[in-house]
Amino acid sequence: MIKMSGAHALIEALYKEKVEVIFGLPGGAIMPVYDVILDSKIRHILARHEQSAAHMADGYARASGRVGVCMATSGPGATNLVTGIANAYMDSVPIVAITGQVPRSMIGKDAFQETDIIGITTPITKYNFQPRHASEIPKIVKMAFQIASVGRPGPVVIDLPKDVQTEVADMDFPDKVEIRGYKPNISPHPLQVEKAAELLTKAERPFILAGGGVIISNASQYLQALSELLLAPVATTFMGKGCFPENHPLSLGVIGMHGTLEANKSILEADVLLAVGTRFSDRSTGKIDEFCPDAKIIHIDIDPSEIGKNKAVDVPIVGDVSKTLFELYNSLSKRLEKRENSLWLKRIQQIKEEFKDKVRVEKDKDLVPQKVLRELREILPIDAIVTTEVGQNQMWASLYFKVYKPRTFISSGGLGTMGFGFPAAIGVKVARPDVPVVDIAGDGSFTMTANSLATSVTENIPVIVVILNNSMLGMVAQWQRLFYNRRYSAVELGKFPNFVKLAEAFGAQGIRVGSLDEFKRAVKQALESDVTTVIDVPIPPEENVFPMIPAGKGLREIIY
Amino acid sequence: MEEKQVKNYIISTIVENKPGVLHRASNMFRKRGFNIDSISVGPTEHKDLARMTITINGDETTVEQLVKQLSKLIDVIKISVLNPQSSVIRELALIKLHVPDAKARSDIINYANIFRGRIVDVSPASITVEITGTPDKIDAFLSLASTFGIKEIARTGITALVRG
Ligand SMILES: Cc1ncc(C[n+]2csc(CCOP(=O)(O)OP(=O)(O)O)c2C)c(N)n1
Ligand SMILES: [Mg+2]
């Protein structure tokens, strides 16, 4: 037992969890903690808006596989975190968000900057805590990290009343905690694994749909081994992008609303579908009743509540994806011979040929998103990490920027949060200073969190922003073109801001390019520079992202 | 598509006995669109554990998903769907009835006796009856009592234990 204040105990407990960085912004109700941070070994990175602090922690967590930490004061500081917390919740990202709170005696009195952040974040966190005594802090921090990172990951909030931060108490730092209500089932049931193996052995047209769970569970190698053994083509969900190398002969790219033609066409011909670490989101499946209605479905997920939530399946397996794929592989390798080819693969090849280059790409123009992103891929090293904003830029990135390694493509999938990509890129760069980090951005999204330029420059965290600048809220404009008779309502952004000047105003480098060649040069210049670079790429304002499955329609109704 | 059979289900859970647990559960019901019929919470033989009993009218898939979502809550420690045949199921109701005349008064007292109810309050114009039993029994008493005119009803919702 050691006597110390709650604030000291918090930082000590974070340190014991091997936290190396906190993204945050101070204020009245969290000042005791900030005073302690000053003397600690943990680096604090000052955000310019708490939403960005949360996205930075999120990017850090996704790139590293570790828990990201962000911090804010009570009231507006805490509510500014909310979008970032919801974002992490939807994409199952382990972050711990620490908020200040008014003193215990003031709670419930509508005190200055009091907000019921526990009430607000209950539906968007795995759990949240409000210690009522300083002595609870060490155990609560331990529990928070355990809950955030074990099983299906997600955000946890710790709300600290100011007088709990200053209260001095005897502290006991446990090495382990028992959470009796939280014991995720890691090991798959052997019987279910056998059933799955049996089904896959008999399958004539096996197909693997791999989701974000494969990345979270670091299961890429098992996935690849399994698909090669089964000769099963692999499509990923948007969240799964990167879990299977997109240059692998069995890769079909991303499925769903803006997925590839070959993925969306082939999956409908499968007789056995192995769905791994995915929640059958509507953006991936289209109209659920028309999604693989005749295929037998095997569903592997660590979260039992995902089984049968959106899609009824034939063989459910609850377990860690890595462990399950490993066991499934072992079982299958006893039953199956390794083969070179199959009728099914020939059919897949045929589908690939049939739809090759079917999506129109502007021939005469140079600076179109498809060409820009292919070029970017050529220039960037294979382990460079890209983040994206939300909208057309994101879907073009998904279609045209091929990814070969897990955790090198980071995007806001479930919530679709504009403004995520840039602060996330900063968090990624903190976790992986050894690789180039690029935010593939839209002009609208980037404007939402562009003030993070200040963080990026002053904290010396250089990243590259490539703005696909259509002077439009492009994705909304696309829907208005396709479904609202071209009636543009509130989507034209005009020609401001001047992104070069904006970058320069923050001490970053800004480059506007006029051709593909200039773009290449700009990226090279950015890669060599040690300051954040914003590359403004003007693209045609009315370009559509195709293929597209209109909302509520089945995969069959894909347009291109 | 197979026919979805709707039934009454009783879900009995053991939860952490601390503030906020009911909020987390009811928040989840609202967020996921589960329409709960009743929920009751009370202490157990262990002072740090509480029993939360939920009743819902729904099909099997809905109830299965409800159970999974409940077990996902970190404060929920144990959960079981009770089989009505092998469980003791009780609810308590307080029913305040109009008493227009002396005949009504004696009729009400008679009915209450038949249902093994108790008269817990009497005033010149009303009588309050306490009935304990299965929800069906309480419903039966209510339909009889409605002829007198019901002023107010308070029902606790179901609580239950497995037999044996
Ligand atoms: C915070 C937020 N507000 C609104 C939306 C709705 N929305 C989705 S895409 C989009 C347009 C994004 O514009 P931009 O960043 O320029 O990307 P583009 O589609 O033009 O590539 C909007 C407004 C959203 N996803 N997130
Ligand atoms: Mg745009």
Side-chain angles (χ1 to χ4, degrees):
Chain A
M1 294 266 199
I2 323 164
K3 247 190 175 22
M4 60 171 88
S5 73
H8 269 104
L10 173 76
I11 297 301
E12 183 62 27
L14 292 178
Y15 192 70
K16 284 190 192 307
E17 293 300 323
K18 303 200 170 60
V19 172
E20 33 175 50
V21 57
I22 297 172
F23 304 92
L25 197 154
I30 191 78
M31 286 180 69
V33 173
Y34 270 85
D35 191 56
V36 178
I37 286 180
L38 207 51
D39 300 324
S40 89
K41 294 200 185 79
I42 300 177
R43 178 180 181 193
H44 180 271
I45 291 173
L46 179 59
R48 297 300 191 272
H49 188 293
E50 292 84 352
Q51 179 188 343
S52 295
H55 292 330
M56 288 173 197
D58 182 321
Y60 174 90
R62 293 196 213 201
S64 65
R66 305 178 49 189
V67 177
V69 180
C70 57
M71 191 177 282
T73 189
S74 66
T79 54
N80 272 353
L81 285 178
V82 168
T83 301
I85 295 169
N87 189 77
Y89 184 73
M90 290 296 276
D91 287 350
S92 307
V93 183
I95 66 170
V96 169
I98 296 158
T99 53
Q101 184 53 279
V102 301
R104 283 166 289 189
S105 59
M106 310 276 272
I107 291 177
K109 309 278 163 63
D110 298 321
F112 177 64
Q113 294 194 330
E114 179 187 359
T115 273
D116 174 19
I117 202 65
I118 294 294
I120 291 174
T121 60
T122 294
I124 53 167
T125 50
K126 269 182 92 173
Y127 202 70
N128 49 26
F129 295 92
Q130 190 181 67
R132 287 305 183 113
H133 300 284
S135 60
E136 297 166 15
I137 290 176
K139 188 176 169 201
I140 282 179
V141 171
K142 190 99 217 157
M143 288 167 82
F145 274 71
Q146 195 163 317
I147 291 171
S149 60
V150 174
R152 179 181 183 171
V156 175
V157 166
I158 303 177
D159 190 35
L160 282 174
K162 192 172 181 180
D163 60 336
V164 173
Q165 298 167 38
T166 50
E167 184 181 67
V168 175
D170 284 327
M171 301 292 176
D172 184 13
F173 292 87
D175 291 332
K176 259 202 219 127
V177 283
E178 248 269 314
I179 306 169
R180 52 185 173 182
Y182 189 60
K183 303 217 169 85
N185 188 6
I186 307 290
S187 300
H189 198 293
L191 218 68
Q192 293 303 93
V193 174
E194 284 312 297
K195 273 193 205 157
E198 219 163 277
L199 209 52
L200 285 165
T201 310
K202 287 197 210 118
E204 283 172 11
R205 300 181 304 281
F207 194 103
I208 300 177
L209 177 62
V214 178
I215 297 175
I216 294 170
S217 170
N218 300 316
S220 290
Q221 62 183 106
Y222 304 121
L223 177 71
Q224 194 169 329
L226 196 69
S227 84
E228 287 167 4
L229 178 64
L230 287 167
L231 288 186
V234 178
T236 71
T237 65
F238 179 71
M239 289 308 297
K241 187 174 167 79
C243 76
F244 192 79
E246 292 189 297
N247 53 356
H248 191 286
L250 289 168
S251 168
L252 293 172
V254 174
I255 201 168
M257 181 175 270
H258 291 291
T260 66
L261 281 170
E262 50 269 36
N264 283 308
K265 295 284 180 191
S266 320
I267 198 168
L268 294 173
E269 298 187 16
D271 64 347
V272 176
L273 176 67
L274 174 63
V276 200
T278 171
R279 60 188 168 89
F280 294 100
S281 104
D282 54 278
R283 283 295 186 267
S284 297
T285 63
K287 192 173 181 191
I288 195 77
D289 299 336
E290 292 172 20
F291 181 74
C292 302
D294 302 321
K296 293 267 183 234
I297 302 180
I298 303 162
H299 187 191
I300 304 172
D301 206 285
I302 186 114
D303 180 354
S305 73
E306 287 305 342
I307 308 275
K309 185 183 84 181
N310 293 341
K311 180 87 185 160
V313 298
D314 300 278
V315 183
I317 311 181
V318 175
D320 170 58
V321 168
S322 263
K323 216 166 160 30
T324 308
L325 288 183
F326 177 73
E327 288 177 19
L328 190 54
Y329 179 86
N330 280 346
S331 170
L332 278 166
S333 61
K334 287 182 208 125
R335 299 163 189 257
L336 286 175
E337 295 281 304
K338 217 166 169 145
R339 292 159 301 161
E340 287 302 309
N341 212 338
S342 67
L343 275 176
W344 174 225
L345 274 200
K346 284 191 189 123
R347 171 69 190 137
I348 293 289
Q349 207 47 46
Q350 201 181 6
I351 294 175
K352 276 188 175 174
E353 293 294 324
E354 184 182 344
F355 292 105
K356 195 169 171 225
D357 298 327
K358 273 281 153 43
V359 181
R360 188 193 59 91
V361 176
E362 193 79 55
K363 286 225 172 51
D364 313 330
K365 288 196 194 111
D366 198 18
L367 279 186
V368 289
Q370 301 87 340
K371 293 182 190 169
V372 169
L373 291 169
R374 283 190 186 133
E375 204 55 60
L376 183 65
R377 177 71 281 180
E378 292 289 308
I379 303 169
L380 292 181
I382 170 167
D383 51 4
I385 302 178
V386 304
T387 65
T388 81
E389 298 297 343
V390 167
Q392 292 184 309
N393 58 86
Q394 180 183 32
M395 294 304 135
W396 281 318
S398 172
L399 282 162
Y400 297 100
F401 187 90
K402 296 296 172 196
V403 176
Y404 313 128
K405 284 183 149 188
R407 297 189 191 277
T408 62
F409 182 85
I410 289 170
S411 187
S412 168
L415 199 64
T417 313
M418 289 171 69
F420 168 79
F422 181 44
I426 294 173
V428 170
K429 185 72 183 179
V430 172
R432 295 293 310 276
D434 54 319
V435 297
V437 180
V438 180
D439 172 31
I440 298 172
D443 44 332
S445 301
F446 180 64
T447 309
M448 284 201 178
T449 49
N451 54 7
S452 290
L453 279 166
T455 304
S456 168
V457 172
T458 46
E459 301 271 354
N460 197 15
I461 310 165
V463 300
I464 301 169
V465 182
V466 173
I467 305 177
L468 299 175
N469 187 351
N470 48 13
S471 303
M472 282 272 193
L473 297 172
M475 185 57 91
V476 182
Q478 173 166 345
W479 284 47
Q480 289 174 349
R481 275 194 298 279
L482 295 174
F483 311 118
Y484 293 87
N485 280 325
R486 270 196 98 76
R487 283 158 53 85
Y488 280 150
S489 178
V491 291
E492 279 141 320
L493 297 173
K495 52 185 197 322
F496 294 108
N498 177 326
F499 287 107
V500 173
K501 283 190 178 164
L502 180 77
E504 286 168 359
F506 280 100
Q509 177 173 220
I511 308 170
R512 186 173 167 91
V513 300
S515 68
L516 210 50
D517 267 341
E518 279 180 35
F519 173 70
K520 282 191 240 180
R521 260 179 277 139
V523 175
K524 284 182 186 144
Q525 187 180 333
L527 285 170
E528 280 155 20
S529 161
D530 48 15
V531 66
T532 289
T533 305
V534 176
I535 305 174
D536 184 11
V537 186
I539 59 166
E542 298 195 305
E543 187 76 24
N544 286 325
V545 185
F546 284 134
M548 176 177 194
I549 298 156
K553 296 274 173 37
L555 299 191
R556 231 175 271 285
E557 291 168 80
I558 194 162
I559 49 181
Y560 52 98
Chain B
M1 274 248 164
E2 48 205 290
E3 188 75 20
K4 287 198 172 164
Q5 210 193 348
V6 173
K7 283 200 310 194
N8 287 319
Y9 289 86
I10 302 168
I11 297 151
S12 178
T13 65
I14 297 291
V15 301
E16 296 283 354
N17 187 10
K18 62 183 188 193
V21 178
L22 185 58
H23 169 241
R24 286 175 205 280
S26 57
N27 207 330
M28 184 277 287
F29 298 148
R30 177 196 51 77
K31 164 177 157 182
R32 303 259 174 210
F34 292 117
N35 198 353
I36 295 300
D37 287 329
S38 78
I39 184 163
S40 72
V41 189
T44 64
E45 66 279 16
H46 301 286
K47 77 171 191 319
D48 57 343
L49 296 178
R51 182 179 298 279
M52 184 166 77
T53 310
I54 298 140
T55 62
I56 180 174
N57 185 265
D59 60 58
E60 207 182 316
T61 339
T62 308
V63 173
E64 191 184 312
Q65 186 51 216
L66 175 82
V67 168
K68 285 177 176 171
Q69 293 294 345
L70 265 174
S71 20
K72 199 164 151 176
L73 297 179
I74 284 159
D75 289 330
V76 174
I77 295 158
K78 217 180 125 201
I79 179 160
S80 40
V81 180
L82 299 188
N83 177 348
Q85 265 75 52
S86 54
S87 311
V88 183
I89 298 163
R90 289 294 178 271
E91 183 178 9
L92 184 144
L94 295 173
I95 302 138
K96 191 185 285 179
L97 297 162
H98 284 290
V99 184
D101 51 34
K103 167 145 189 344
R105 183 180 304 270
S106 76
D107 282 353
I108 291 169
I109 293 171
N110 273 338
Y111 288 143
N113 281 335
I114 294 168
F115 278 80
R116 297 193 197 181
R118 297 202 307 144
I119 309 298
V120 289
D121 186 54
V122 181
S123 77
S126 72
I127 284 187
T128 304
V129 184
E130 175 198 311
I131 304 268
T132 309
T134 60
D136 286 352
K137 174 178 160 189
I138 293 171
D139 289 342
F141 181 81
L142 282 176
S143 89
L144 263 180
S146 61
T147 53
F148 304 103
I150 294 168
K151 282 180 87 161
E152 278 181 289
I153 302 174
R155 294 177 73 153
T156 57
I158 288 172
T159 192
L161 280 180
V162 175
R163 287 182 198 275

